[in-house]
Amino acid sequence: MRIEISGQTFQSDFVKKVAEISGESVLSCNQCGKCSAGCPMAFAMDWLPNQIIRLVQLGIEEDIAKSKTPWICASCLTCSVRCPRGVDLGRLMEAVRLLTLRRNIDYVAAAKIPPDALGEMPQIALVGGFRKHTA
Amino acid sequence: MENHVETPVTRKALVIGGGVAGIQAALDIADAGHEVFLVEKSPSIGGHMIQYSEVFPTLDCPQCILTPKMVEVGQHPKIKLLTYSEVAQVSGQMGHFTVRVKRKSPYVDWEKCTGCGECANVCPVEVYSEFERGIAKQKAIYKPFGQAVPAVFTVDKKGIAPCRAACPLQVNAQGYVALISQGRFTEALNLVREKTPFPGICGRICTHPCESQCLRGEMDMPLAINDLKRFVADQEKEPAADLTIASEREGKVAIIGAGPAGLMAAYELRKMGYQVTIFEALPAAGGMMRAGIPEYRLPRDILEKEVSLIQKMGVAIRFDTTIGEQVTLAALKDEFNTVFIAAGAHVSAKLGVEGEDLAGVKHGIDFLREVNLNGKSEVGERVVVVGGGNAAIDAARTAYRLGAKTVSIVYRRSREEMPAIPGEVIEAEGEGIKISYLTDPVRIVGENGRVRGIECLRTKLGPPDESGRRRSIPVEGSEFFLEADMIIPAIGQVPDVAFLGSEIRIGLKPGNRLEVDDTTLQTTADGIFAGGDVVTGPNTVIDALAAGRRAAISIDRYLRGESLTIDREDAGLPVSELKVDMAGISQQRRTDMPAVPPAQRTGNFREVALGLSEEEAIREAGRCLACPGCSECRSCEKVCEPKVIDHQMVERYEELEVGAIVLATGFELIPREAIAEFEPDPDILEGIQFERILCPGGSTAGVVMRPSDQKIPREVVFISCVGSRDPEHGVPYCSRVCCMYLVKMAMLHKHAVPDGQAYIFYMDVRSTGKGYEEFVQRAVEEDGVLYLRGRVSRVFRDGEKLKVCGVDTLSGKNVDISCDLVVLGLAMVSDPAGQELAQRLGIAIDEYGFITEVHPKLNPLETSVPGIYVAGTAQGPRDIPDSVAQASGAASKVLALFSTGEPVSGGVGPR
Amino acid sequence: MDLSYYPGCTLKTKAKGLEAPAVAAMAALGVNLVEISRWNCCGAVYSLADDDLAHHLAPVRNLIRVHEQGADKVSTLCSFCYNTLKRANQLVQRDEVKRRTLNDFMEEEKDYQGEVAVVHLLEVLRDDIGWDNISAKVKVPLQGLRVAPYYGCTLLRPQEIAIDRVERPAILHQLMEAIGAEVVDFPFSTECCGSFQIISNPDSVTQRAWDILSSALKRGAEALVLTCPLCYFNLGQRQAELKQKYIDFTGMPVFYFSQLLALALALDSRVCHLELNYADPLPLLEDKRLLV
Ligand SMILES: Cc1cc2nc3c(=O)[nH]c(=O)nc-3n(C[C@H](O)[C@H](O)[C@H](O)COP(=O)(O)OP(=O)(O)OC[C@H]3O[C@@H](n4cnc5c(N)ncnc54)[C@H](O)[C@@H]3O)c2cc1C
Ligand code: SF4
Ligand code: SF4
Ligand code: SF4
Ligand code: SF4
């Protein structure tokens, strides 16, 4: 695995948009990993939360686009309350998701969820889930 | 600059802070021939370094390298050591400072203390040791550690225990509890006896206001202080009270009533040497303790044993003598110099309802008096008691013992309003006594002149009345009938004041209570005093005893012709604001006394509560938190050979003249609680605590054991940057030393526990000193210390283990470790005392409280105030080599000033 | 005392067991919950994007309704609603520019400046009624019921809306103590249950449910008590699957705090809708003699 980086990669539009949508400063993160260490969903992720930030810092858009991590994130904000540097990673994850959703790409299709299950779930699950995972 | 200072500088220096930096600076200046004052806030110099096991990177032990320097400071002819002291004020300017130093009271004359330690051997109080960072205990009179300089003892006394301050008699509860915890029962009993001759009585029936103030009550339950008092009292067969009488004195005192107030006054006055005669209407002594309180609560042999002491002292008691009948009050006043009225309140209050004079109605106090004096009384089969005070409960339980088939109590308010002792109510219910709350009798119904039952109304609670209890309001139409063949109204007692007669006029208050001056207890008639229930209305034994003592003090003063009010001996103890750190203390149940089972209580008057066993008493006493530290039991005084302990010693101030000052006030660690994601746990330690555990001279004698269960911790996780480099916790800076001390401790752990494994979570290893990186490499390669790159999110307990949830960002994996012990590399922050001092002196500090230099490169070690220099961690986090280097630097600045003698020249102020 | 109250969609459908006993218990404690007369869905999740104001309209409109009806405080029961309303309110209070944009957009509404205070019912119990007063009204102390308080995320995070300390909160613990239950503290009491991932990644939620339930079991809990209908669903409904996966696991009742409060106040247990609970709580309650 080898990548080439330059000023352009980490000052790319993508990086700027993530910063803009999230309102967070990616550069504040010093990669201590505390966010990942406490993330309740990390077990199901392909990249750890701190690695997602690292990828944003380096401007490696392809890996982020392919990653499941932002879609596994449950917005529980455990990372945000424990980050020593005050980075709200939950917002960064949302920004990354929105960059996909805003291209009108859904992560989950309502049609694929069994109707029984849909009928049983509380409204907040449905509204919340579709808000987070559909365009 | 205004006017040039012409006078030469004072060539004496003040060093503040006795850590390694302060020690170095003091020695350098003193060795150059100048006088140095070294002020340290704790009892010994040594600072943090002396707490460590070994120091990086050379792994030499502070005991070997710092102790000689400390001793040198202690013996240096040019150094005056002022430990346990703080700088209160500094005035003047460079070359001429005047310094006011507060010398806290160690309660020991340090000039003469030999350091023998006999005092600590006998001190019964154990408190957490600051030097051991709360993981071990020390005595309340202590030397902080073996090699302390000066090698003297200090009393840790923060005030007066709340239990002791709450006791109307000021019995030293904390003191006797501490002695009991050590199994020293006789001494405990003697301490009780300093304040009351009736430990066995008090230990049974006192309403123990001490327990309601006990701070342990805030975390689980108050100590069973009263049961412990009873326990020690029961330990001796015959009272070995000291009955010596000072020396016989002129003055005859008459006391009316042999209840607690009268007996206590008699005891105190007789001890002073006065001639005391008690006049008692009943054939036996004890007052309400005999006529009212039943035997199953206060066995008569106990009462007899303690009351008879008063007679043994030479107090005459004239029984069966009712003042106002056989003798008048006026006659007493003529025959005796003073009179103390302690006649109690023995007249039953009337219900004031129809049928109260039917046969089968017996008022509570009359019923109890009859049973208590004659051992028997007629009792019905179905008994209804009316009332909610102790007399009502006592009457009901007495009726139960005399064989009543059913006993019930009706009370017009709710349980919360009930004035009876809650424990007594529970016992009564256990005996099958039914209590109907919110029930008010309207009339007693009779048939052929005998009671057939009682008609009652339901009530509800309204707003509070003047006594603060909620008023009871009848509910219309809720009448109902209770069948009964005996009714015992027990709704209160009032004093009988018929004996006062008409010759002497004594003011009265509502409820037939005698009017007295609150402080002196003198009535409106000169030379006649009164106290106890006759003044307060029905109240408690402990308050009556206190009134007895108060009256005795007044009477003594009266007889000696002194002021009754100025500087009284019973002014009361000051209430101290005590805060106890309960974080490390685990909950422990209060030990209850075993009791005779309810089924075995009928037909006899055996004592119900059976007392604590020796083992239980010691365990219960061990729950005491020793809130103020020293209990003032004064055990230490008795063994101190040179007699240098002085529990009254007060702080004092000293003034010093110096030309220059070095601030070396050091650092502290960020409070552990600030890092909430690591739950409080005895096995999550801060670095210095683990140093103490590693230290051969520490409380575990160098055996590495974890605090929770004394097991050897095999797997230990060290966490770097806890609270450091963490702006969210207010500390954005790097603490500079934790990387190194953590690896040092990891290495030492491996040396102590060869099959152990150490892990270090780190962000990056800061090993910038000479030989430091090599040290780290050694730890990794030779001792197998495993570095994991990342922070830890949480630590929590998981059975015997601690679960550490961290990350290794190098491998991109979250890492969980189940380990035995966790050591936190907590952020270094400025010492709060040092910070406060700097602020007071107007010295510039940074936003974290560390002292700033005028210019870090051009004016190193110079604070914003000319003539005041800084050294060591007071300026910012740094290790020992850097701290001592700075100290020598600061010393040379001082010496430069002293050698020129010219305050304006030299390196002062930015150039 | 009247207190205005925003129920939200879930309470009116799936979470009757949260709402009905809460309303009844509050009445028994002297508080009349007055449902605001018109309300809309709060949007369930607070938008975390800086450039997305549209999603804040829904919660803010609800707050405007409260304000219109003359109340200065609105209570919530559902943790998600609490979070969304409270955060939107803070946004309005703290960000002047966004406030102006939002107000401009809702031309038809009166300008809103964040005048209404948003509180969770637990805060009302703690701050307005007080634990001692609740204890005094308890008729059936939940003696011997070993219950583990579970907070979930949205009452505590982010920090600025937390109803208690973010780490090691105590409010539910205190309520349980006040009603006489034996409180079991456990390390997963503030860990996320997987939340809305139940839609897209249900297996991860099953895993989370097991982590949380097994941690409580290990500390000796017999039941869980919580506040959020989604936690309730994830931790309850997943148990069927967990029972198959872990043969030793026999299920663990999950209660809403309002159900236990109502039981302790000796209200008619039918108001609790215990029949809706996923793991049948009746055997446990009967065993402890807590049903009157
Ligand atoms: C766990 C741990 C392990 C460490 N291990 C090492 C090691 O192995 N090697 C190493 O080189 N460094 C080590 N260090 C760093 C070392 O402790 C410090 O560098 C050193 O103690 C600094 O000395 P000091 O004199 O500046 O401060 P301190 O040691 O803090 O001494 C300051 C003294 O001033 C007193 N004081 C404070 N305020 C006042 C006041 N207002 N009036 C009077 N007195 C006051 C204090 O009571 C204290 O006695 C370690 C640090 C920690 C936390
Ligand atoms: S906790 Fe904060 S600083 Fe640390 S890696 Fe995560 S986002 Fe970065
Ligand atoms: S908000 Fe997302 S990334 Fe952060 S801890 Fe929760 S699940 Fe993990
Ligand atoms: S017994 Fe006296 S001399 Fe000995 S150490 Fe104690 S105070 Fe000092
Ligand atoms: S010295 Fe090491 S452990 Fe300490 S704050 Fe700095 S980087 Fe962290």
Side-chain angles (χ1 to χ4, degrees):
Chain A
M1 238 190 300
R2 199 165 193 89
I3 51 161
E4 194 171 320
I5 58 167
S6 69
Q8 262 112 50
T9 49
F10 51 85
Q11 285 160 23
S12 67
D13 270 1
F14 169 75
V15 176
K16 283 192 197 122
K17 272 197 198 131
V18 172
E20 200 180 291
I21 298 178
S22 67
E24 293 294 303
S25 149
V26 254
L27 295 178
S28 298
C29 166
N30 66 4
Q31 285 296 306
C32 71
K34 190 159 182 159
C35 46
S36 302
C39 174
M41 303 303 283
F43 70 93
M45 292 172 172
D46 47 4
W47 293 95
L48 288 179
N50 76 289
Q51 292 178 309
I52 295 291
I53 305 196
R54 188 63 185 152
L55 292 171
V56 177
Q57 284 175 338
L58 298 178
I60 309 178
E61 193 177 344
E62 312 81 79
D63 284 321
I64 301 176
K66 275 187 270 168
S67 170
K68 289 199 296 181
T69 294
W71 305 103
I72 301 285
C73 164
S75 296
C76 72
L77 306 191
T78 307
C79 51
S80 312
V81 296
R82 292 207 186 123
C83 172
R85 315 272 308 179
V87 177
D88 190 339
L89 178 48
R91 297 182 77 94
L92 281 165
M93 292 288 189
E94 181 109 327
V96 171
R97 281 189 297 267
L98 285 174
L99 283 175
T100 302
L101 299 175
R102 286 180 184 175
R103 299 208 310 268
N104 203 15
I105 301 170
D106 287 345
Y107 174 71
V108 68
K112 292 216 176 113
I113 305 172
D116 287 3
L118 275 183
E120 210 186 341
M121 277 179 210
Q123 273 68 2
I124 40 176
L126 301 171
V127 179
F130 290 125
R131 284 267 319 271
K132 293 280 181 183
H133 287 172
T134 59
Chain B
M1 176 143 234
E2 337 122 35
N3 50 352
H4 214 82
V5 180
E6 296 298 338
T7 41
V9 300
T10 313
R11 289 194 173 78
K12 294 178 183 172
L14 166 68
V15 176
I16 309 176
V20 65
I23 289 173
Q24 183 68 37
L27 285 173
D28 282 357
I29 301 169
D31 284 346
H34 299 289
E35 220 174 295
V36 179
F37 302 99
L38 178 52
V39 171
E40 163 60 50
K41 71 174 167 18
S42 59
S44 170
I45 55 170
H48 285 99
M49 180 176 168
I50 199 68
Q51 294 175 297
Y52 306 153
S53 53
E54 290 172 22
V55 286
F56 65 77
T58 41
L59 289 191
D60 28 29
C61 90
Q63 273 58 254
C64 322
I65 60 172
L66 189 58
T67 310
K69 288 205 173 205
M70 289 164 58
V71 173
E72 205 183 325
V73 167
Q75 296 175 343
H76 204 295
K78 290 280 180 191
I79 298 179
K80 179 159 188 235
L81 197 50
L82 296 91
T83 63
Y84 213 42
S85 301
E86 272 163 45
V87 169
Q89 206 188 350
V90 176
S91 55
Q93 65 221 49
M94 174 161 79
H96 305 274
F97 291 111
T98 304
V99 182
R100 216 167 122 78
V101 179
K102 173 163 109 182
R103 317 252 1 225
K104 291 179 273 187
S105 165
Y107 301 99
V108 172
D109 180 351
W110 278 0
E111 300 292 312
K112 303 199 192 101
C113 171
T114 63
C116 65
E118 290 299 335
C119 46
N121 288 341
V122 300
C123 174
V125 175
E126 286 192 335
V127 288
Y128 282 99
S129 153
E130 226 171 277
F131 183 77
E132 298 288 343
R133 301 289 287 197
I135 55 169
K137 290 192 158 184
Q138 69 187 13
K139 293 299 184 63
I141 185 164
Y142 70 103
K143 188 169 82 167
F145 52 99
Q147 308 82 359
V149 172
V152 288
F153 281 68
T154 302
V155 178
D156 173 3
K157 182 154 61 178
K158 301 178 197 78
I160 294 201
C163 49
R164 178 176 166 207
C167 176
L169 281 183
Q170 299 168 5
V171 177
N172 188 344
Q174 188 208 349
Y176 71 76
V177 168
L179 287 163
I180 294 172
S181 76
Q182 306 288 312
R184 286 152 60 184
F185 307 139
T186 316
E187 287 166 83
L189 186 54
N190 287 339
L191 193 61
V192 177
R193 280 220 184 88
E194 283 183 16
K195 296 289 179 187
T196 168
F198 310 123
I201 297 174
C202 292
R204 285 176 167 79
I205 54 163
C206 183
T207 44
H208 43 73
C210 48
E211 291 185 19
S212 16
Q213 294 304 312
C214 173
L215 289 185
R216 177 120 203 171
E218 286 173 17
M219 70 170 287
D220 43 30
M221 269 186 281
L223 252 82
I225 301 176
N226 211 43
D227 299 351
L228 287 170
K229 189 188 304 112
R230 166 176 168 179
F231 167 80
V232 278
D234 287 355
Q235 293 314 296
E236 68 177 8
K237 294 286 153 288
E238 276 310 309
D242 172 18
L243 301 179
T244 42
I245 278 126
S247 62
E248 295 295 338
R249 273 202 225 184
E250 287 293 308
K252 283 170 68 187
V253 184
I255 294 178
I256 307 177
L263 290 169
M264 186 59 145
Y267 169 79
E268 295 284 358
L269 289 164
R270 182 67 197 122
K271 263 194 113 122
M272 295 174 199
Y274 294 106
Q275 307 304 311
V276 183
T277 309
I278 305 182
F279 297 86
E280 171 56 60
L282 297 177
M288 207 53 111
M289 301 190 294
R290 153 119 23 201
I293 296 173
E295 215 177 326
Y296 63 85
R297 289 213 280 137
L298 177 58
R300 292 306 179 246
D301 55 332
I302 304 283
L303 181 65
E304 202 53 56
K305 201 164 74 177
E306 291 187 347
V307 165
S308 64
L309 292 177
I310 309 296
Q311 285 160 294
K312 287 204 188 106
M313 290 169 82
V315 171
I317 307 185
R318 303 246 295 268
F319 292 109
D320 296 313
T321 311
T322 307
I323 303 301
E325 289 175 17
Q326 285 99 321
V327 191
T328 64
L329 180 59
L332 272 194
K333 184 72 182 73
D334 285 344
E335 190 187 338
F336 293 86
N337 302 90
T338 65
V339 180
F340 176 47
I341 305 174
H346 289 260
V347 180
S348 290
K350 298 281 177 288
L351 278 177
V353 300
E354 187 189 321
E356 204 168 354
D357 42 12
L358 287 170
V361 178
K362 185 149 234 172
H363 286 83
I365 280 306
D366 307 328
F367 172 65
L368 286 170
R369 188 187 308 119
E370 199 172 308
V371 181
N372 285 329
L373 295 179
N374 309 336
K376 57 177 193 294
S377 171
E378 237 174 75
V379 67
E381 289 204 340
R382 287 191 308 277
V383 179
V384 173
V385 179
V386 182
N390 282 319
I393 303 286
D394 284 344
R397 298 182 67 191
T398 297
Y400 170 75
R401 281 166 176 71
L402 290 175
K405 291 234 167 63
T406 65
V407 182
S408 52
I409 299 178
V410 299
Y411 176 54
R412 60 191 169 128
R413 294 184 242 230
S414 72
R415 177 125 183 195
E416 287 82 69
E417 273 77 26
M418 211 163 175
I421 303 173
E424 290 297 308
V425 181
I426 294 170
E427 285 297 333
E429 286 174 329
E431 288 164 12
I433 294 165
K434 198 175 155 289
I435 308 178
S436 310
Y437 298 99
L438 298 173
T439 306
D440 207 8
V442 264
R443 71 194 171 98
I444 299 171
V445 182
E447 208 173 74
N448 308 326
R450 268 208 75 84
V451 168
R452 190 169 69 78
I454 183 165
E455 192 179 303
C456 303
L457 257 181
R458 292 277 177 223
T459 62
K460 61 180 186 211
L461 290 182
D465 63 11
E466 56 289 352
S467 75
R469 289 180 298 171
R470 295 179 61 188
R471 211 181 286 277
S472 75
I473 305 167
V475 177
E476 288 302 324
S478 62
E479 288 85 354
F480 65 101
F481 183 71
L482 276 177
E483 268 185 45
D485 53 6
M486 182 176 191
I487 305 286
I488 307 180
I491 56 161
Q493 299 89 251
V494 284
D496 178 357
V497 289
F499 69 89
L500 289 178
S502 52
E503 293 122 294
I504 300 176
R505 294 189 63 85
I506 291 183
L508 287 181
K509 285 193 161 175
N512 273 356
R513 293 175 299 127
L514 302 199
E515 184 183 341
V516 296
D517 177 285
D518 285 346
T519 312
T520 64
L521 298 187
Q522 184 158 223
T523 64
T524 52
D526 179 65
I528 301 185
F529 298 81
D533 284 2
V534 76
V535 166
T536 58
N539 195 13
T540 59
V541 169
I542 188 73
D543 282 325
L545 289 171
R549 166 162 321 137
R550 177 156 293 208
I553 290 168
S554 294
I555 288 169
D556 170 47
R557 286 167 167 250
Y558 180 87
L559 292 174
R560 286 188 288 119
E562 271 185 26
S563 156
L564 298 190
T565 49
I566 297 166
D567 285 340
R568 283 179 66 96
E569 299 78 346
D570 55 357
L573 294 170
V575 176
S576 322
E577 279 293 325
L578 295 174
K579 282 242 301 273
V580 182
D581 180 13
M582 305 190 191
I585 300 162
S586 48
Q587 303 234 332
Q588 200 188 329
R589 277 196 69 81
R590 174 182 162 118
T591 321
D592 290 323
M593 289 191 285
V596 174
Q600 292 170 29
R601 297 182 195 168
T602 180
N604 66 66
F605 281 84
R606 266 175 63 197
E607 183 166 29
V608 169
L610 294 176
L612 298 170
S613 71
E614 195 170 310
E615 193 193 317
E616 285 166 338
I618 291 176
R619 169 156 36 94
E620 179 60 19
R623 291 175 68 234
C624 173
L625 299 173
C627 311
C630 167
S631 69
E632 296 195 339
C633 70
R634 302 198 310 281
S635 301
C636 51
E637 271 179 19
K638 300 187 185 100
V639 296
C640 176
E641 194 89 34
K643 298 277 170 250
V644 298
I645 301 171
D646 172 7
H647 280 280
Q648 311 316 326
M649 187 185 270
V650 289
E651 63 184 30
R652 60 195 168 81
Y653 286 83
E654 218 163 280
E655 219 143 81
L656 314 172
E657 299 290 336
V658 297
I661 299 173
V662 176
L663 283 178
T665 48
F667 71 97
E668 248 314 315
L669 296 177
I670 194 172
R672 168 77 182 66
E673 309 74 62
I675 320 293
E677 56 268 37
F678 303 161
E679 52 175 47
D681 189 287
D683 294 331
I684 303 181
L685 301 179
E686 48 161 57
I688 304 178
Q689 291 174 325
F690 195 52
E691 294 275 7
R692 294 310 302 151
I693 289 179
L694 289 167
C695 187
S699 60
T700 60
V703 183
V704 178
M705 302 190 286
R706 62 179 200 170
S708 67
D709 55 8
Q710 277 74 49
K711 287 204 180 122
I712 297 194
R714 258 187 40 78
E715 306 262 317
V716 181
V717 172
F718 296 87
I719 307 178
S720 312
C721 307
V722 181
S724 294
R725 306 175 67 184
D726 186 341
E728 291 291 299
H729 280 117
V731 180
Y733 56 82
C734 163
S735 287
R736 283 183 64 182
V737 293
C738 14
C739 273
M740 287 308 295
Y741 78 66
L742 289 176
V743 63
K744 168 191 78 180
M745 291 194 281
M747 196 187 247
L748 294 176
H749 167 253
K750 181 72 180 174
H751 296 172
V753 186
D755 65 342
Q757 177 63 51
Y759 307 84
I760 303 181
F761 281 97
Y762 76 108
M763 300 240 304
D764 31 37
V765 182
R766 302 203 163 164
S767 50
T768 52
K770 236 185 185 173
Y772 289 13
E773 180 60 16
E774 298 90 315
F775 187 85
V776 173
Q777 285 309 317
R778 222 167 80 208
V780 172
E781 288 166 25
E782 291 173 22
D783 298 310
V785 172
L786 184 66
Y787 271 96
L788 293 156
R789 200 274 161 197
R791 281 202 190 245
V792 167
S793 180
R794 284 186 76 193
V795 179
F796 59 85
R797 180 150 290 271
D798 188 18
E800 290 227 322
K801 297 281 186 177
L802 287 167
K803 182 81 135 228
V804 179
C805 305
V807 64
D808 178 47
T809 60
L810 298 182
S811 60
K813 303 268 187 243
N814 273 352
V815 179
D816 286 356
I817 301 176
S818 275
C819 64
D820 304 307
L821 190 78
V822 170
V823 181
L824 306 178
L826 288 170
M828 267 179 148
V829 295
S830 69
D831 184 301
Q835 187 177 333
E836 199 255 330
L837 176 67
Q839 269 163 337
R840 210 152 10 97
L841 303 193
I843 292 173
I845 52 177
D846 62 25
E847 55 187 310
Y848 312 108
F850 292 113
I851 293 165
T852 46
E853 293 159 296
V854 172
H855 189 288
K857 298 190 180 64
L858 302 178
N859 307 73
L861 312 178
E862 293 170 17
T863 71
S864 62
V865 176
I868 304 185
Y869 308 95
V870 60
T873 45
Q875 192 270 339
R878 56 174 43 76
D879 60 17
I880 295 164
D882 285 2
S883 295
V884 289
Q886 277 196 336
S888 289
S892 78
K893 295 251 170 185
V894 172
L895 295 176
L897 173 66
F898 288 180
S899 67
T900 62
E902 283 271 351
V904 282
S905 60
V908 177
R911 273 168 288 169
Chain C
M1 178 177 101
D2 281 354
L3 177 62
S4 94
Y5 156 63
Y6 170 86
C9 327
T10 311
L11 264 66
K12 291 299 175 192
T13 51
K14 299 288 174 217
K16 291 201 188 71
L18 172 58
E19 184 180 37
V23 172
M26 291 311 280
L29 293 170
V31 178
N32 179 25
L33 289 182
V34 184
E35 186 172 322
I36 55 177
S37 61
R38 220 187 103 207
W39 52 265
N40 53 266
C41 168
C42 69
V45 285
Y46 179 77
S47 173
L48 297 173
D50 220 34
D51 61 356
D52 171 17
L53 287 184
H55 283 108
H56 298 317
L57 293 171
V60 173
R61 278 196 204 280
N62 284 314
L63 297 170
I64 294 175
R65 294 289 85 76
V66 179
H67 194 44
E68 269 171 11
Q69 287 161 38
D72 56 0
K73 180 157 147 183
V74 63
S75 61
T76 56
L77 255 176
C78 165
S79 305
F80 270 69
C81 300
Y82 166 74
N83 188 280
T84 309
L85 293 182
K86 178 97 175 189
R87 292 196 74 179
N89 204 34
Q90 274 184 358
L91 181 85
V92 171
Q93 287 166 344
R94 294 176 187 180
D95 191 326
E96 205 184 311
V97 180
K98 291 194 170 123
R99 171 173 70 220
R100 215 172 309 128
T101 318
L102 284 167
N103 278 322
D104 287 350
F105 186 85
M106 295 182 286
E107 272 182 329
E108 72 289 0
E109 307 273 16
K110 251 175 82 191
D111 272 12
Y112 179 67
Q113 325 272 349
E115 292 88 342
V116 170
V118 179
V119 295
H120 189 267
L121 206 71
L122 280 174
E123 294 175 283
V124 177
L125 290 171
R126 176 189 60 195
D127 305 333
D128 298 338
I129 300 182
W131 304 133
D132 288 347
N133 289 326
I134 297 175
S135 292
K137 296 239 163 79
V138 165
K139 300 227 174 59
V140 186
L142 305 187
Q143 242 149 22
L145 183 70
R146 292 200 302 279
V147 50
Y150 175 76
Y151 295 84
C153 305
T154 47
L155 290 182
L156 300 173
R157 292 185 285 269
Q159 167 96 50
E160 51 278 19
I161 60 95
I163 65 168
D164 201 352
R165 294 183 306 222
V166 172
E167 307 284 354
R168 306 193 314 107
I171 188 166
L172 257 183
H173 289 64
Q174 289 159 351
L175 173 64
M176 288 302 115
E177 260 162 41
I179 61 175
E182 200 176 304
V183 181
V184 179
D185 193 26
F186 76 118
F188 278 66
S189 75
T190 64
E191 292 253 334
C192 175
C193 69
S195 186
F196 57 79
Q197 290 293 354
I198 190 68
I199 295 271
S200 326
N201 297 294
D203 292 345
S204 315
V205 173
T206 314
Q207 177 62 45
R208 288 310 294 162
W210 178 243
D211 289 346
I212 293 162
L213 292 167
S214 59
S215 163
L217 275 175
K218 211 166 165 182
R219 291 265 172 119
E222 296 165 317
L224 229 50
V225 59
L226 45 68
T227 63
C228 169
L230 182 46
C231 301
Y232 176 85
F233 180 76
N234 285 349
L235 297 174
Q237 196 257 5
R238 294 281 114 184
Q239 290 192 20
E241 203 178 319
L242 291 172
K243 278 196 235 169
Q244 287 176 353
K245 209 161 156 191
Y246 304 95
I247 29 170
D248 289 345
F249 179 58
T250 55
M252 182 189 255
V254 175
F255 292 102
Y256 286 121
F257 74 98
S258 53
Q259 293 178 320
L260 293 182
L261 178 59
L263 289 179
L265 295 173
L267 306 184
D268 185 341
S269 66
R270 277 171 299 182
V271 80
C272 296
H273 289 287
L274 294 168
E275 73 283 358
L276 296 177
N277 290 34
Y278 286 99
D280 184 5
L282 292 179
L284 176 66
L285 294 175
E286 271 154 16
D287 180 48
K288 306 275 169 184
R289 296 171 198 285
L290 298 177
L291 289 175
V292 284

